[in-house]
């Protein structure tokens, strides 16, 4: 029978302790990080959005100096349909200013998404959430969710659930220098 | 309002008892003071009546519809019948935590009211361990997730829930509650969680005894003997909970299966694996005085897995249909898990050299050797399952990308190990203690091995050509033959010597040596379940199609003809859509089935209840997937053909009965050893 | 277009037929031109042959297309869709396979599978498409590569460790000493077995 303090015993128990510590560390890290996304005042995670049809890519880094309104939506999402015209109105209003609205289409199919964009006559940039990377970086809980990112790349506001023109307009006014 | 505050007060009172019990029991151990020890014993029994009152209070508020209490609002509604309001006690996070604490206090009270004559020295440590455990869950109940929080509304109309009102806020009584999750309204789901809870919590008892034994440095098996029945009872409930869960999924979840390898299912399965290894491995320590360290490791591991399982499911770390919503319990659970693991492992390492095995393994080919193999296979299955559950978390931590580990992983990796288990079940009962020659094993094994070829031949004749299935059926027949042969052998022997009838001889075997023959019975139950699993996993077929009235769908030798569809509103707040279909087998009318869809208005959730025609060979399982306008009168059905699935349920029943036989109390055995620490006095049993 | 509804087989059949016809037409055209001198056939005749063959091929293809209802029955069935959906998980429906999930997102995904099948894509094409669109997480189990490599390797390591640990334990302990007691616990003959069983049962009975 193994006795303690023999090299073998020490080696095996050492291994087990290392494995346990790693496991606990992992779970601990998971708790600390939680399942919440970035918070207001934090740097917004960078992402690459590939636009529908044109395939043009937009990264957050390349949009520095502009206010970015990042909207997660999907064609199967009912509140997204009420929200889309409001966002389009915002786009019309702020088209000539340094405000970029980016629509990220989450867990959707391209045909349905394009039909949706056509139906609501959306002109702002939209693209699929390829590999669900963007939604994972922002750890969204569902759609719609909207993130307002300042010119310096800092997350200014988070709206869980549908938003309105008035609400976003207010936030953007508040950000105006 | 007063009631809710009273409830909170009761929780605090119970918590105070556990704190007192912990401190005083340790002081008593130090001073060897019998009076203090008795006082701490009473203090750790007291939470049971107190928490019983708290539970009754919550049930009362659920029945009354005290919607100012946040928990009552979240799990009940006016349209719910009374029995569902009672069972809503464990229908949500806070209530089920209280229920869990109450069950813990029940087990602890029973444990401390038993006869402690032979284990008095470890009693203080058993009390302390039990009280710390219960205290932890009460902390969660009181400070994190209290079921007695009330709803408050402030001047802006914002509602929040807490025990004490925020400044300027008033009590708010919603007109109606949200109602219980429809999935939890089915009778199977009403009893499935309490069974699992009983199983999990029951494992506290052997754990407390193990810690007690380590703390005082006893190296005999008294902790095992004292907690043996508790372990078996816990194992019984755990098995029952798992089988019921499977049955419930099959009956109401509407996907033609019983086990989805969902992370939470695995979290419940892992303690079962270690507990099963433990109930086997302790036999070796009792009979041969071996594996003492290993048994300690096993029980600590089992208990840690129980805590880990509740941790994973109750904190939203894992996403699953079973998981509770995310909560703030992460940090306290993490601390408790760490303390439990570090504390008990440190204790074990400290006592490592105190534990001396009486014997060493003489040969791999012996009963002990087989039990060792059994334990290793169980541990390998455990490690694989654990890896599958934890891997998405690891992978996401390093790559930032989510990943799904689903059934194919578990099936491919654990499948061969379960097959090995069946083989062991077919060899181990024939092996002798200490050592055995291969020749003698051969003499014992050739009859069942030959018999098992019949099973193989039967499978081939009935047209089974799948290699895995043939192997599985062969192993099942083998193992069944061996375990049935043990009964037969015993009965024949008794008939010869006692000149009693065969049936009576069999009955006497079961009655006299309950553990042994109960054990063989559980083996037979597992084998029957394995046959059902092989049938369902390898031969399940399905088809889906849309048909108009009087049109048919065909699957295997069954034909289903769609007759009518009608809708009605049930008085418990659901819209029921029922299809009536005629089932024909080989062209002959068999039965009429009514698959249906229940839509719950309050929660906007739907449940798909299958129509099932079952026979001993197979189930024909019909789901109503969708329907068009009544005018068109077309509907979509999904049909499953599930071969042998009823063997799974029947095997489950035998398994539970077998554990029941094994754990049925015999009159208390006289304790052979009254002094520590030798075990030489134990007569070598002939098992 | 009718053609988009053709099953994959029909499409490949159609295109290969079309290619054969074209090859034939071109071959005959070339042959007749090369033999023009020999046959002294008028250019017009060549032209007529050429054109009529073309028309024939069109007619045949048109006939083929009009016969598509027969092939349209080959349109993907619910079972074809479910066979693939079963292996996928939609992010909106964690832990519920796509074939059982009832959310509208999942309904759309199943429709996409149907469309892709109708376009003639294979099962692996479709799975690859969903992985490209929505990431590895849509697969019910990671493949033996990249992010999933370690997942599959560790069970093998566990198996090796279990076997190795068992062998080394057995070798070490059984080498320590031969059993002091070769114990009468081994049931050598049926008579031994009976007496042992009786002894055990008797012990239990006395304990009752």
């Amino acid at each position: 029978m193994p006795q303690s303090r023999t090299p073998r015993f020490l080696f095996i128990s050492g291994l087990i302790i290392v494995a346990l510590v790693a496991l606990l560390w992992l779970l601990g890290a998971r708790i600390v990080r939680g399942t919440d996304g970035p918070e207001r005042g934090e740097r917004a995670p960078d992402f690459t959005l590939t636009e529908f049809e044109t395939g043009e890519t937009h990264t957050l880094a390349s949009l520095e100096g502009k206010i970015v309104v990042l909207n997660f939506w999907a064609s199967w999402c009912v509140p997204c349909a009420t929200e889309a015209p409001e966002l389009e109105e915002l786009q019309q209003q702020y088209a000539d200013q340094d405000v970029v609205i980016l629509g990220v289409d989450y867990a959707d199919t391209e045909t349905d998404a394009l039909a949706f964009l056509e139906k609501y006559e959306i002109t702002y940039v939209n693209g699929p959430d390829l590999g669900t990377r963007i939604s994972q970086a922002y750890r969204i809980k569902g759609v719609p969710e909207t993130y307002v990112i300042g010119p310096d790349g800092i997350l200014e506001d988070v709206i869980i659930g549908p938003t309105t023109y008035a609400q976003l307009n207010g936030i953007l006014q508040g950000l105006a220098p | 309002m007063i009631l809710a505050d009273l409830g909170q007060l009761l929780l605090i009172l119970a918590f105070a008892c556990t704190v007192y019990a912990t401190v005083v029991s340790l002081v008593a151990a130090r001073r060897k003071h019998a009076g203090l020890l008795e006082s701490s014993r009473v203090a750790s029994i007291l939470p049971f009546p107190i928490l019983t009152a708290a539970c009754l209070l919550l049930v009362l508020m659920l029945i009354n519809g005290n919607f100012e209490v946040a928990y009552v609002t979240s799990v009940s509604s006016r349209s719910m019948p009374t029995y569902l309001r009672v069972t809503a006690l464990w229908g949500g996070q806070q209530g089920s935590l209280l229920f869990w604490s109450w069950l813990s206090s029940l087990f602890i009270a029973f444990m401390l009211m038993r006869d402690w004559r032979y284990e008095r020295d470890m009693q203080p440590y058993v009390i302390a361990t039990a009280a710390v455990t219960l205290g932890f869950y009460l902390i969660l109940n009181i400070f994190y997730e209290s079921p007695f929080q009330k709803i408050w509304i402030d001047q802006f109309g914002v509602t929040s829930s807490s025990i004490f009102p925020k400044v300027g806020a008033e009590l708010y009584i919603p007109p109606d509650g949200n109602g219980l999750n429809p999935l939890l309204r089915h009778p199977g789901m009403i009893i499935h969680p309490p069974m699992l809870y009983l199983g999990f919590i029951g494992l506290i008892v052997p754990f407390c005894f193990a810690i007690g034994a380590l703390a005082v440095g006893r190296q005999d098996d008294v902790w095992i003997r004292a907690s043996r029945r508790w372990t078996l009872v816990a194992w019984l409930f755990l098995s029952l909970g798992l089988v019921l869960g499977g049955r419930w999924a099959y009956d109401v979840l509407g996907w033609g299966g019983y086990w989805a390898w969902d992370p939470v299912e695995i979290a419940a399965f892992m303690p079962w694996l270690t507990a099963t290894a433990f109930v086997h491995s302790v036999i070796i320590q009792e009979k041969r005085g071996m594996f003492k360290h290993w048994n300690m490791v096993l029980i600590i591991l089992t208990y840690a897995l129980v805590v880990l399982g509740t941790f994973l499911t109750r904190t939203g770390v894992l996403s699953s249909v079973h998981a509770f919503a995310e909560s703030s319990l992460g940090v306290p659970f993490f601390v408790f898990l760490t303390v439990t693991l570090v504390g008990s492992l440190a204790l074990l390492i400290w006592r490592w050299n105190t534990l001396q095995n009486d014997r060493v393994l003489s040969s791999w080919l012996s009963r002990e050797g087989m039990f060792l193999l059994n334990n290793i296979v169980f541990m390998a299955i455990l490690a694989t399952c654990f890896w599958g559950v934890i891997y998405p978390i690891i992978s996401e931590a390093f790559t930032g990308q989510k990943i799904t580990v689903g059934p194919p992983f578990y099936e491919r990796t654990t499948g061969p190990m379960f097959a090995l288990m069946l083989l062991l079940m077919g060899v181990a009962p024939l092996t002798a203690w200490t050592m055995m020659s291969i020749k003698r094993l051969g003499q014992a094994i050739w009859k069942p091995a030959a018999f098992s070829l019949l099973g193989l031949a039967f499978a081939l004749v009935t047209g089974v050509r799948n290699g895995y299935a043939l192997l599985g059926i062969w192993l099942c027949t083998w193992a069944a033959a061996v375990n049935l042969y043990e009964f037969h052998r015993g009965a024949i022997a008794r008939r010869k010597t006692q000149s009693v009838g065969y049936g009576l001889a069999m009955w006497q075997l079961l009655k006299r040596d309950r553990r042994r023959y109960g054990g063989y019975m559980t083996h037979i139950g597992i084998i029957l379940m394995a046959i059902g699993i092989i049938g369902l996993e390898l031969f399940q077929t399905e088809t889906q199609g849309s048909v108009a009235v009087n049109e048919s769908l065909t699957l295997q030798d069954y034909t289903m003809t769609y007759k009518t569809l009608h809708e009605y509103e049930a008085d418990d707040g659901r819209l029921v859509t029922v299809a009536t279909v005629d089932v024909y087998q080989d062209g002959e009318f068999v039965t009429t089935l009514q698959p249906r869809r229940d839509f719950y208005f309050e929660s906007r959730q739907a449940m798909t209840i299958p129509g099932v025609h079952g026979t001993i060979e197979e189930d024909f399982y019909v789901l109503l997937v969708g329907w068009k306008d009544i005018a068109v009168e077309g509907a979509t059905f999904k049909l499953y053909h599930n071969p042998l699935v009823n063997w799974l349920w029947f095997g489950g029943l035998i398994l539970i009965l077998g554990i029941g036989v094994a754990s049925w109390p015999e009159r208390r055995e006289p304790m052979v050893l009254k002094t520590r620490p030798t075990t030489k006095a134990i007569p070598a049993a002939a098992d | 277009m009718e053609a988009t509804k053709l099953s994959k087989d029909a499409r490949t059949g159609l295109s290969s037929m079309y290619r054969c016809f074209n090859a034939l037409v071109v071959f005959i055209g070339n042959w007749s031109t090369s033999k023009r001198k020999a046959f002294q056939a008028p250019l017009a005749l060549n032209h007529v042959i050429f054109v009529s063959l073309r028309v024939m091929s069109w007619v045949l293809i048109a006939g083929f297309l009009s016969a598509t209802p027969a092939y349209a029955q080959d349109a993907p069935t619910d079972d074809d869709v479910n066979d693939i959906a079963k292996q996928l998980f939609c992010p909106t429906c964690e832990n519920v396979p796509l074939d059982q999930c009832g959310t509208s997102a999942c309904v759309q995904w199943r429709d996409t599978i149907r469309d892709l099948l109708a376009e003639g894509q294979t099962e692996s094409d479709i799975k690859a498409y969903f992985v490209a669109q929505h990431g590895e997480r849509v697969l019910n189990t990671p493949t033996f590569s990249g992010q999933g490599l370690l997942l599959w390797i560790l069970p093998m390591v566990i198996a090796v460790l279990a076997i190795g640990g068992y062998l080394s334990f057995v070798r070490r302990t059984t080498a320590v000493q031969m059993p002091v007691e070769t114990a009468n616990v081994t049931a050598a003959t049926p008579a031994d077995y009976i007496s042992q069983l009786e002894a055990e049962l008797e012990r239990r009975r006395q304990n009752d």
Side-chain angles (χ1 to χ4, degrees):
Chain A
M1 267 286 114
Q3 293 295 301
S4 69
R5 284 174 285 280
T6 63
R8 179 192 293 269
F9 178 83
L10 291 176
F11 176 71
I12 293 176
S13 48
L15 264 186
I16 291 171
I17 288 167
V18 167
L20 273 180
V21 168
L23 173 71
L24 288 172
W25 172 78
L26 189 77
L27 286 173
R30 177 89 179 190
I31 294 165
V32 171
R33 192 169 153 216
T35 44
D36 295 332
E39 290 187 9
R40 290 178 186 80
E42 286 178 8
R43 176 155 288 278
D46 196 14
F47 57 83
T48 309
L49 181 68
T50 312
E51 210 175 320
F52 277 127
E53 293 184 313
T54 65
E56 212 177 305
T57 59
H58 305 263
T59 64
L60 183 62
S62 69
L63 293 168
E64 210 178 291
K66 293 179 180 169
I67 296 175
V68 177
V69 177
L70 187 65
N71 172 249
F72 290 93
W73 64 279
S75 64
W76 42 260
C77 145
V78 181
C80 298
T82 60
E83 185 190 64
E86 307 263 340
L87 280 164
E88 182 55 31
E89 194 184 341
L90 195 80
Q91 165 75 4
Q92 299 300 335
Q93 201 63 39
Y94 285 87
D96 52 346
Q97 295 174 41
D98 275 347
V99 175
V100 180
I101 304 178
L102 297 178
V104 180
D105 182 26
Y106 171 73
D108 207 349
T109 53
E110 186 158 346
T111 0
D112 296 295
L114 291 177
F116 181 94
L117 294 177
E118 200 172 327
K119 183 176 173 194
Y120 295 100
E121 297 174 334
I122 303 297
T123 60
Y124 54 86
V125 172
N126 269 287
D129 181 16
L130 285 180
T132 56
R133 284 202 186 83
I134 310 177
S135 56
Q136 286 187 55
Y138 284 78
R139 320 200 96 195
I140 66 165
K141 302 231 163 41
V143 277
E145 281 187 20
T146 309
Y147 295 78
V148 182
I149 302 158
D152 47 0
I154 299 295
L155 188 61
E156 297 291 346
D157 221 326
V158 180
I159 303 151
I160 308 288
T163 181
T164 57
Y165 169 77
Q167 187 184 22
L168 283 173
N169 192 35
I171 294 169
L172 293 181
Q173 294 294 332
L175 285 178
Chain B
M1 170 167 47
I2 301 296
L3 282 182
D5 292 336
L6 182 64
Q8 185 73 5
L9 208 65
L10 286 172
L11 290 181
I12 294 169
L13 201 61
F15 178 62
C17 285
T18 62
V19 173
Y20 175 83
T22 314
V23 174
V24 171
S25 65
L26 292 177
V27 172
R30 205 182 176 91
R31 298 205 195 142
K32 306 218 180 312
H33 193 298
L36 284 180
L37 184 59
E38 183 56 20
S39 160
S40 71
R41 190 179 77 97
V42 173
S44 45
I45 293 173
L46 267 180
F48 172 58
I50 298 173
L51 291 177
T52 308
C55 281
L56 286 175
L57 206 61
L58 188 57
V59 169
L60 190 69
M61 291 193 296
L62 282 163
I63 294 174
N64 265 349
N66 290 40
F67 292 117
E68 75 276 6
V69 177
Y71 183 71
V72 175
T73 300
S74 70
V75 296
S76 70
S77 65
R78 293 193 189 283
S79 67
M80 269 165 55
T82 310
Y83 79 96
L84 279 181
R85 293 189 188 203
V86 175
T87 61
L89 173 63
W90 56 85
Q93 169 87 282
Q94 294 90 352
S96 71
L97 254 180
L98 175 63
F99 186 61
W100 177 284
S101 305
W102 176 67
L103 288 176
S104 306
S105 71
L106 172 81
F107 268 92
I108 291 168
F110 271 119
M111 175 176 83
L112 289 170
M113 286 192 292
R114 66 188 284 285
D115 180 0
W116 277 84
R117 244 178 309 167
Y118 307 111
E119 305 93 10
R120 188 68 74 196
D121 55 341
M122 39 198 254
Q123 197 186 23
Y125 302 101
V126 173
I127 292 176
T129 316
V132 166
T133 307
L134 180 57
F136 164 69
Y137 287 106
L138 286 172
I139 288 177
L140 298 185
N141 261 142
I142 296 167
F143 299 105
Y144 292 88
E145 298 280 353
S146 172
F148 298 110
Q149 289 185 349
K150 296 175 296 272
I151 306 176
W152 306 94
I153 188 162
D154 63 13
Q155 61 266 44
F156 305 111
V158 179
T159 57
S160 60
S161 60
S162 58
I163 296 291
F164 300 106
K166 292 205 184 86
V167 183
E170 279 177 37
L171 193 69
Y172 174 66
I173 306 177
D176 197 0
N178 303 330
L180 189 62
N181 180 345
L183 290 178
L184 304 181
R185 296 184 183 202
H186 183 271
M189 196 58 207
I190 290 170
I191 43 176
H192 156 66
M195 291 303 123
L196 273 182
Y197 289 3
L198 280 171
F200 287 143
I201 293 164
L203 291 169
I204 288 180
V205 179
F207 176 73
C208 288
F209 272 98
I211 294 297
L214 280 178
V216 296
R218 278 179 90 138
Q219 63 145 327
D220 54 32
D221 60 355
V222 78
W223 70 275
I224 289 174
R225 288 166 167 259
S227 62
R228 178 168 75 200
R229 182 141 303 114
W230 299 88
T231 313
L232 282 173
V233 167
W235 190 51
L236 184 144
F237 281 119
L238 200 50
S239 309
L240 187 58
L242 289 169
V243 172
L244 279 176
R247 177 73 213 205
W248 169 75
Y250 187 76
D251 278 350
V252 302
L253 287 186
W255 48 276
Y258 56 95
W259 184 258
W261 292 105
D262 174 288
V264 171
E265 288 173 355
I266 299 170
F269 186 49
M270 289 194 295
W272 186 85
L273 287 172
T274 49
T276 312
F278 182 70
V279 297
H280 285 94
S281 166
V282 289
I283 299 174
I284 305 295
Q285 183 165 349
E286 282 185 44
K287 303 253 185 219
R288 312 290 296 160
M290 294 161 65
F291 296 169
K292 288 182 181 175
H293 307 85
W294 178 238
N295 286 328
M296 286 289 174
V297 171
L298 267 183
I299 193 63
I300 291 170
L301 191 61
T302 305
Y303 185 70
L305 283 171
V306 168
V307 178
L308 182 76
T310 45
F311 170 41
L312 292 179
T313 46
R314 284 182 182 273
T315 56
V317 168
L318 290 180
S319 44
S320 155
V321 278
H322 294 78
F324 290 93
E326 272 175 46
S327 74
S328 51
L329 298 179
V331 175
F333 253 115
F334 180 70
V335 171
F336 183 63
L337 181 64
T338 312
V339 168
T340 308
L341 261 180
V342 171
S344 44
L345 286 180
L347 201 57
L348 176 62
I349 290 172
W350 178 49
R351 287 293 187 193
W352 194 269
N353 287 346
T354 318
L355 290 173
Q356 292 287 337
N357 286 321
D358 303 348
R359 294 182 185 82
V360 292
L361 190 66
S362 314
S363 161
W364 68 274
L365 188 55
S366 61
R367 188 65 70 85
E368 301 93 305
M370 290 295 135
F371 273 105
L372 175 67
L373 259 179
N374 149 305
N375 269 247
I376 285 176
V377 177
F378 269 121
M379 287 307 107
I381 297 175
L382 171 78
T384 311
C385 289
F386 186 78
W387 181 241
V389 169
I390 215 81
Y391 190 75
I393 302 179
I394 297 176
S395 179
E396 201 191 343
F398 287 101
T399 63
Q401 290 290 301
K402 282 192 178 168
I403 209 166
T404 312
V405 177
F409 170 75
Y410 298 103
E411 283 160 9
R412 274 176 227 164
T413 50
T414 60
M417 298 194 253
F418 283 119
L420 198 58
M421 216 55 163
L422 281 175
L423 181 64
L424 272 176
M425 234 187 268
V427 177
L430 298 175
T431 52
W433 293 97
T434 313
M435 67 191 319
M436 189 183 205
S437 68
I438 295 202
K439 194 178 157 208
R440 188 155 291 154
L441 179 66
Q443 284 168 352
I445 221 165
W446 77 268
K447 274 189 221 160
F451 180 79
S452 69
L453 290 176
L454 282 178
L456 194 62
F458 179 75
L460 279 167
V461 167
T462 50
V464 177
R465 290 294 177 273
N466 181 313
Y468 297 114
L470 288 174
L471 178 70
I473 290 168
W474 178 54
L475 287 175
C476 283
T477 350
W478 179 325
V482 166
N483 284 283
L484 287 172
Y485 181 60
E486 279 298 312
F487 272 102
H488 174 70
R489 202 154 75 125
I492 292 284
R494 267 196 87 71
R495 193 174 59 175
K496 263 188 199 150
T497 53
Q498 308 291 309
S499 52
V500 289
Y502 189 80
L504 186 63
M506 194 84 91
W507 173 249
Q508 284 173 343
L509 285 179
L510 261 184
K511 213 174 126 197
R512 290 276 165 74
D513 201 348
R514 294 200 178 104
R515 282 178 84 197
R516 178 172 173 175
Y517 291 98
Y520 291 144
M521 227 172 124
T522 59
H523 283 180
I524 292 163
I526 293 280
I527 293 159
L528 292 175
M529 290 175 81
I531 293 172
I533 292 168
I534 291 168
L536 197 66
E537 291 295 324
L538 297 173
F539 299 106
Q540 184 181 48
T541 46
E542 59 174 83
T543 187
Q544 182 180 322
S546 303
V547 283
V549 167
N550 287 328
E551 280 186 351
S552 297
L553 285 171
T554 300
L555 179 66
Q556 301 291 343
D557 46 3
Y558 285 97
T559 303
M560 179 219 84
T561 307
Y562 170 42
K563 294 312 243 186
T564 59
L565 185 80
H566 71 282
E567 273 184 348
Y568 64 92
E569 247 180 72
D571 50 9
D572 55 351
R574 67 198 155 113
L575 178 70
V576 182
T577 312
V578 196
T580 306
V581 300
D582 287 345
V583 178
Y584 297 85
Q585 187 176 15
D586 296 322
E588 278 189 39
F589 176 79
V590 191
T591 185
T592 299
L593 294 178
Q594 295 201 311
R596 65 172 211 264
R597 170 87 68 95
D598 291 1
F599 181 78
Y600 288 84
F601 297 114
E602 287 156 351
S603 55
R604 310 202 55 76
Q605 272 182 296
M607 270 174 84
T608 312
I609 315 281
V612 183
H613 168 64
T615 63
I616 193 163
E617 301 117 83
E618 64 214 354
D619 268 7
F620 181 64
Y621 185 102
V622 182
L623 288 174
L624 175 63
V625 177
W627 54 91
K628 296 168 193 138
D629 291 339
I630 299 295
V632 184
E633 291 187 333
T636 307
F637 294 93
K638 195 167 189 176
L639 314 182
Y640 286 95
H641 179 252
N642 296 332
L644 299 176
V645 66
N646 290 314
W647 292 57
L648 176 63
W649 312 126
F650 184 64
L653 189 68
I654 301 282
L655 166 75
I656 304 300
L657 284 177
I659 308 176
V661 168
S663 59
W664 196 262
E666 298 170 50
R667 237 162 282 160
R668 189 168 174 149
E669 291 170 36
M671 275 286 176
V672 182
L673 57 151
K674 296 195 170 75
T675 50
R676 48 192 297 211
T678 168
T679 54
K680 292 287 186 293
I682 302 174
D687 186 5
Chain C
M1 264 300 282
E2 274 282 73
T4 55
K5 280 200 184 139
L6 292 179
S7 75
K8 196 192 169 200
D9 289 352
R11 280 169 61 88
T12 46
L14 205 61
S15 67
S16 53
M17 259 178 82
Y18 189 78
R19 261 183 272 125
C20 286
F21 258 96
N22 263 343
L24 193 68
V25 168
V26 171
F27 174 74
I28 293 172
N30 289 347
W31 172 77
S32 56
T33 340
S34 64
K35 298 283 173 181
R36 195 178 341 158
K37 278 188 186 146
F39 286 103
Q40 288 297 319
L43 199 73
L45 182 64
N46 260 336
H47 194 71
V48 166
I49 293 171
F50 210 99
V51 168
S52 61
L53 277 171
R54 279 263 180 205
V55 169
M56 258 175 72
S57 79
W58 287 335
V59 167
L60 266 167
I61 286 167
F64 203 90
L65 281 177
S66 67
T68 48
Y71 283 91
Q73 285 172 1
D74 264 24
T77 62
D78 288 351
D79 289 343
D80 297 335
V81 174
N82 282 342
D83 277 345
I84 296 172
K86 210 181 274 181
Q87 305 170 44
L88 297 175
F89 281 79
C90 164
T92 60
C93 229
E94 274 180 289
N95 298 318
V96 181
L98 185 58
D99 65 325
Q100 292 150 23
C101 182
T103 64
S104 36
C106 290
V107 174
Q108 282 186 11
W109 280 39
R110 285 197 291 269
D111 288 343
T112 305
I113 295 178
R114 194 181 299 270
D115 293 344
L116 293 174
L117 276 172
E119 277 174 29
Q121 297 209 20
T122 63
E123 185 177 310
S124 53
D125 292 344
I126 295 173
K127 277 163 46 178
Y129 167 80
F130 278 101
V131 169
Q133 284 291 313
H134 308 286
E136 277 277 292
R137 64 193 289 193
V138 301
L139 295 179
N140 63 359
T141 284
T143 51
F144 189 75
S145 63
Q147 222 183 329
L149 201 57
L150 207 55
L151 174 75
W152 290 102
I153 288 175
L154 200 88
M156 301 177 201
V157 175
I158 290 171
V160 170
L161 279 181
I163 295 167
Y166 171 72
L167 290 179
S168 95
F169 179 81
V170 168
R171 187 163 303 161
R172 261 183 315 120
T173 55
T174 52
V176 172
Q177 61 168 87
M178 281 309 286
V180 185
E181 14 152 23
T182 21
N184 56 352
V185 282
T186 310
T189 63
D192 287 353
Y193 169 77
I194 290 171
S195 59
Q196 269 173 36
L197 183 81
E198 281 311 316
E200 171 71 6
L201 290 178
E202 186 57 26
R203 193 176 70 79
R204 301 250 163 199
R205 197 183 59 76
Q206 282 167 359
N207 289 347
D208 275 2

